[in-house]
Structures are given as C-alpha cells and as structure tokens.
Amino acid sequence: MAVPTTPAPVTPAKAAATSSTTPTPRVVATTPFPDQKPGTSGLRKRVPVFQQPHYLENFVQATLDVAALPADTTLVLGGDGRYGNREAVQTILRLAAANGVGRVIVGRGGILSTPATSCVIRERGAAGGFILSASHNPGGPDGDFGVKYNLANGGPAPESFTDAVAARTRVITEYRTLDAAAVDVDTLGEHALGGLAVEVVDPVADYAALMERLFDFGAIRAMFAGGFRMRFDAMHAVTGPYAAEILERRLGAGAGTVVNGTPLPDFGGGHPDPNLTYAHDLVEALAADDAPDFGAASDGDGDRNMILGRRWFVSPSDSLAVLAANATLAPGYARGLAGVARSMPTSQAADVVAEALGIPHYETPTGWKFFGSLLDAGRITLCGEESFGTGSDHVREKDGLWAVLFWLNVLARRPGESVERITRAHWARFGRHYYTRRDYEALPVDAARGVMDAVRGRFATLPGTTLGGRTVASADDFAYADPVDGSVTEHQGLRVRFADGSRVVFRLSGTGTEGATLRIYVEGFEPDPARQGEDAQVALGPLVEVALALGQVRERTGREESTVIT
Ligand code: VG1
Ligand code: CO
C-alpha cells in the first residue's frame, strides 16, 4: 500500500495498456497466508501485514470466490479514510473488474462510513460491499487496517460466510486482476475500468436522506434555533463530513458544532474510539462551566456513538434502553417496536423496557453480524451493544450518527428536559443497571487465556456459593442458537450470574491486533430510586473486586489496573 494521499504510481507500460482497448484480466499465482480468518468484525491486521505483496488480493479474491456473484453484479466500496484506504480501493476495483463484477459504487475519495455503506447497498440493491476499516483501532503506517464484506441485506457477512472465506484463504493459489491506471475516485460520476463501471457517488447524500425520513428534523431544527447547543467530536474520522452536512447545515446547529471534522489517515494520531478515555477532550468540554447541552462522538468508521449531557455520561446499555422507551417520539419508529436485541455483555436495561412494552427481547453474541437475521426476519427493530453501538432496522450496521439524531429527536420532543433528567427518569421507572467494563489491552496471549481458564475452571463448583456477599445463581460459557436460521455459535464469553440480578462476564476481544485483549463486564441492578445516584465505579467497586479475584486477574496479568475503564 502507498501513502493514501499519493495517487498509485502508473508505470508507462501500464498507462499504455489502458490507453489501448480494454485491459486484459491477468491471473496471478499466489500462496496462502495462514492468518486471514476474520474476527468479530472483518479481517484486521497491522498495516505492515496488509502491505505484504498479495495479502489484500488473496483475501479479496477468496471473498469473491465464496460470494460467487452472478455476472454483472453491483457492489459498493468505501472506507474510513485511514492510511492505505486509497490504494486498497484501487486494488479491489482491479480485482472486481477482472472477476466480472458489473458495477462498483464507490464513495468519493474512497470514503464511506460503515452505516452509509450499508445504506447504499440496500438503497441501490447491490449484491454486497467491501468496507475498508479497522474501526476504532488506530490508523497510520504503524496502525491497523481492515477489510469487511457485507451481503445484499447491507449487513456483515454471517459466520458461515466468513468461515468459508477463511477456509478459502488457506488453499488459494491464484487471483485475477487487471493492469490498468488508477480510477479517478475523486470525481463524481461514471468511470470505466475494463468492463467494469465505476460509479463515484457523494458518500453523504443517500445516508442524509434516510436520516431525514426517520427523524423529526423540523423539531430538532427548532430546538437548535431556540439556543440548544451541542458539540460533536468526529475524532478526525469518517463521520466529519456526515455530521457537518446533517448537524450544521440541515439542522442549523451552527458552525463549529462539529470538531475534529476532517478525516485524517492517522486520525490525528489518536484512537478514534468514542469512550471516556479516548474522547477525553469532549468529556472535558461537557464538564466546563459554559458546556453545551449535548455532546456526542463517533468512531473511525462511524458506527459507534458516545452520548453525553452536561456533566453526564449515558452508558451505551442505558442509551439503548432509553431509545427503546422513547422510540415512538421519532417518526420512523412511531408505529412502535417489533422487539429489541442486545449483545450478551450489554446490560439487561433494554430487556426491562421490552418487558414493559410487551415485546420480545433477544440476547446475542458480541458483534453486529448476529443481529442481521433478527432484523431481516422483522423480529426486532432496535438493537445495541455495550461497546457504544446502537442501531435499528434502517440499515444492517450499527450507526453512530443515527443514535445521535435519535437522542436529538427525543430531546426535541421532551422540551426542557436535559440528558441527565431523561436518564434519571428512566432509572426511576425501570430501575438502574449500574455498568462498567475493564479492558486489559495487549496482554500476552497466555496470560489472557489463563484468566479465562481460571474462571472456567470454577464453573462446576460456583453455583450456590457466595462471593462478596452475593449468591452465584449460574455460571456458563455463552452459546447462542439463532432463532431464525438455527445456526449455533459457541464460546462467546463466560457468564457468572448472581441471585440479585448482577453479573460479571469475561471475554477475549476479536478485534485487537496486538497480543490479546481481555474484557471484563460488570453489571449490578438497583430498583430503588433513592440509591440510583451513585457513581457507577463506586457502586460496582466490590463486584469488580469479585471479578478480579475470580479470574486471578492481577496475578496472571501482572497489571494493577486495566488499560481502559468505561
Ligand atoms: C468489539 C466490541 C463489539 C463490536 C466490535 C466491532 O469487539 O466489543 O461489541 O461489535 O468491537 O465494533 P471485540 O471482539 O474486540 O470485543 V467496530 O465499531 O470496531 O467495528
Ligand atoms: Co466502528
């Protein structure tokens, strides 16, 4: 891969090839790479890994082989603009052309957020799409790169597909490409690459139109006109242009609402991860004396969101529950919800709302791909993850800006109520699910596995015993049977549930690229409004200690503290 801002070099010989008639597809011999199994969300590796000759080509060819697209199919292609994005776009276009794809719709500059890609696939009836992103992982030459393939429903390919791709990468012997000059993806309109039509589109247009159909833009515009102020931190990642168009221009939030709005190949050197640690500047801005009313941030590829009020943090699990309880205030959800789903480690706050609404709720493994079948079958309307992911049946990805607009819609329709007041009222009605997550990043793999083994090793004897004053109700290794297609997924996290409704969960990350990342999720339930006002870290302190002791975490990792506390 070359530096993204530099156009791919065109040798005179290659230029000559394109200036003649149609470039001829070429078969290139290759050998398999052993490490191309997609994780929680696509294939993610360090940039130097992707820079190895044939690495990206092998993975893309394997994906196209498994997809077995009919001739003249349409695909969508874009990425979050990170280092390597531009070069990878050209590589994929050449492979698509040589593999008989009919049309590729590309976001201008090779840019499309993850939810916008999902939107374009669905609106244009495409057979699928490639998303170039390692999401919240850092970018730049020493950062991460990633590739994800989505299907015709606009959602991440399910495990049956990604397992087949991984199997294919282990036996691949050749790929098909073209020798041709780079396509000008900075100019809107139709371009040709051999027999392939390349259509460069505005990455924001379709997406912004969809948002206008879902939310009450008139009410939100009136709220901003009335002096409501917000700050949106795009973290130098892909949502900058989307937020500027929708918040500042269409909703009149005012210039300067969007900060760090220019996507940069290295995200300005930061982690484009909207949480209390990596979006600390925003947290501080919302704590200032002249703080705006509302703060939000999004991640590298635009599918995550963090919601803040003045001196107030809404945990993602609570955000899902609040949106579910207030959904009918948004025009797109005025008819009510079919059901809700959350990933297993996400707090049970949304379940309580679903029960109050009399609608079904589902618990799925971590990763958006597990929501797809439920959304397609119409069993759920909203879904979310504790990892700052929220979404609905409007696309088949989680959607950062959508969640922000949903909150704005709720705020506009509950005039005079702050984010804090809305959250507190929610707790008073449904109970509060205290929640915290500890991430231990870049651990030696053996140490992380040791923690998991230690916890699992106690499963047989735990139920009925008392830990830190709480009785263990059950302990298991989470397995999920998809109620729509019957597929079974095992080993999705270790759960210890207590009789009082609290839980601790242990999982290893499937998106990290360095060593192993251990995640510990801790949840407690407090129905009494008089006791819902505590700081989550204080309220959950004893339960965190129970979890650390259970996994012998300090001893096995040698770490006193986690890398990130949410
Ligand atoms: C993490 C989150 C998970 C999320 C995934 C992709 O996975 O925990 O909830 O779906 O990232 O999000 P893991 O395996 O590292 O825990 V994104 O925004 O990075 O594509
Ligand atoms: Co993301």
Side-chain angles (χ1 to χ4, degrees):
M1 294 190 295
V3 178
T5 45
T6 319
V10 180
T11 63
K14 285 178 184 169
T18 55
S19 66
S20 64
T21 49
T22 310
T24 328
R26 181 162 73 89
V27 174
V28 178
T30 188
T31 49
F33 292 91
D35 62 347
Q36 295 198 318
K37 184 174 167 47
T40 311
S41 181
L43 182 70
R44 283 187 200 177
K45 301 286 173 192
R46 295 240 107 119
V47 164
V49 174
F50 265 103
Q51 281 171 328
Q52 298 172 89
H54 311 306
Y55 194 88
L56 175 63
E57 289 87 342
N58 276 19
F59 186 72
V60 171
Q61 183 67 55
T63 304
L64 292 173
D65 289 345
V66 170
L69 302 166
D72 290 333
T73 299
T74 297
L75 291 179
V76 177
L77 172 61
D80 63 12
R82 70 179 58 225
Y83 184 89
N85 193 120
R86 276 180 175 270
E87 176 75 6
V89 161
Q90 298 296 338
T91 300
I92 294 174
L93 287 175
R94 288 194 287 266
L95 264 82
N99 278 276
V101 174
R103 172 174 294 265
V104 177
I105 300 170
V106 188
R108 185 179 44 218
I111 300 282
L112 272 175
S113 77
T114 287
T117 308
S118 186
C119 169
V120 175
I121 291 172
R122 293 168 66 81
E123 303 262 322
R124 297 290 305 266
F130 285 97
I131 302 174
L132 307 172
S133 174
S135 189
H136 55 290
N137 299 17
D142 304 318
D144 289 344
F145 194 76
V147 181
K148 208 161 71 136
Y149 186 72
N150 285 23
L151 302 187
N153 72 345
E159 281 199 325
S160 53
F161 186 100
T162 54
D163 287 350
V165 171
R168 181 80 194 139
T169 64
R170 288 193 287 270
V171 297
I172 193 165
T173 56
E174 58 184 43
Y175 61 83
R176 286 180 289 288
T177 186
L178 287 185
D179 289 320
V183 178
D184 174 13
V185 295
D186 295 307
T187 303
L188 293 178
E190 294 271 331
H191 307 263
L193 181 67
L196 174 72
V198 178
E199 180 183 346
V200 178
V201 299
D202 175 350
V204 180
D206 281 9
Y207 178 83
L210 175 59
M211 294 302 116
E212 290 219 35
R213 294 199 293 275
L214 294 175
F215 299 115
D216 190 341
F217 271 43
I220 302 172
R221 213 179 287 121
M223 179 171 73
F224 280 122
F228 183 91
R229 288 185 304 132
M230 87 171 277
R231 184 181 177 101
F232 181 89
D233 192 337
M235 304 190 83
H236 295 298
V238 77
T239 41
Y242 294 84
E245 170 63 24
I246 295 172
L247 299 174
E248 294 187 357
R249 282 189 279 283
R250 300 196 186 196
L251 291 170
T257 297
V258 178
V259 299
N260 301 319
T262 304
L264 298 175
D266 68 347
F267 308 118
H271 278 249
D273 196 353
N275 60 32
L276 296 172
T277 302
Y278 296 127
H280 190 69
D281 290 353
L282 181 70
V283 176
E284 280 197 350
L286 270 290
D289 287 341
D290 62 344
D293 304 282
F294 184 56
S298 193
D299 73 331
D301 59 331
D303 56 358
R304 296 186 177 206
N305 72 92
M306 178 168 72
I307 299 294
L308 300 174
R310 206 175 274 157
R311 286 193 194 80
W312 191 256
F313 166 68
V314 182
S315 86
S317 297
D318 277 348
S319 180
L320 173 65
V322 169
L323 294 183
N326 290 276
T328 53
L329 296 179
Y333 307 92
R335 283 173 296 128
L337 308 176
V340 296
R342 60 166 174 83
S343 66
M344 182 274 280
T346 304
S347 96
Q348 299 160 90
D351 303 9
V352 178
V353 174
E355 274 154 27
L357 294 173
I359 57 173
H361 54 90
Y362 301 86
E363 180 177 49
T364 59
T366 296
W368 212 259
K369 58 188 172 214
F370 295 103
F371 294 130
S373 67
L374 298 170
L375 290 164
D376 284 349
R379 292 202 189 204
I380 60 169
T381 309
L382 295 193
C383 45
E385 297 191 280
E386 49 63 42
S387 54
F388 298 86
T390 333
S392 87
D393 59 359
H394 70 292
V395 290
R396 292 295 179 274
E397 288 279 5
K398 55 187 184 271
D399 189 343
L401 207 44
W402 168 91
V404 174
L405 292 167
F406 210 146
W407 266 94
L408 284 170
N409 191 137
V410 170
L411 288 160
R413 294 289 308 279
R414 292 177 66 164
E417 290 187 81
S418 65
V419 177
E420 173 176 349
R421 189 151 153 209
I422 287 172
T423 315
R424 285 189 190 277
H426 184 92
W427 294 340
R429 179 169 169 209
F430 297 102
R432 176 172 182 189
H433 290 78
Y434 280 107
Y435 195 82
T436 185
R437 179 175 118 180
R438 303 295 158 99
D439 297 324
Y440 294 78
E441 295 178 351
L443 288 176
V445 173
D446 287 348
R449 290 223 177 101
V451 170
M452 298 297 281
D453 290 343
V455 176
R456 205 182 289 107
R458 301 210 28 206
F459 274 4
T461 53
L462 272 182
T465 59
T466 302
L467 297 178
R470 292 175 159 91
T471 307
V472 177
S474 67
D476 67 357
D477 190 343
F478 181 56
Y480 176 68
D482 185 307
V484 179
D485 64 22
S487 60
V488 173
T489 310
E490 292 178 312
H491 307 301
Q492 294 298 312
L494 306 178
R495 300 192 281 198
V496 178
R497 286 184 283 195
F498 297 88
D500 64 358
S502 52
R503 300 192 305 169
V504 299
V505 172
F506 296 77
R507 248 190 93 246
L508 297 183
S509 159
T511 59
T513 56
E514 190 189 346
T517 293
L518 170 71
R519 306 201 194 284
I520 302 176
Y521 313 78
V522 178
E523 172 186 351
F525 182 61
E526 181 52 72
D528 179 0
R531 297 205 304 213
Q532 291 172 347
E534 260 195 275
D535 179 272
Q537 299 308 320
V538 175
L540 293 172
L543 203 50
V544 169
E545 286 305 320
V546 165
L548 297 186
L550 200 57
Q552 301 167 334
V553 175
R554 290 197 180 95
E555 299 82 333
R556 290 176 180 278
T557 65
R559 305 240 184 117
E560 227 10 72
E561 290 297 338
S562 59
T563 325
V564 176
I565 298 179
T566 301

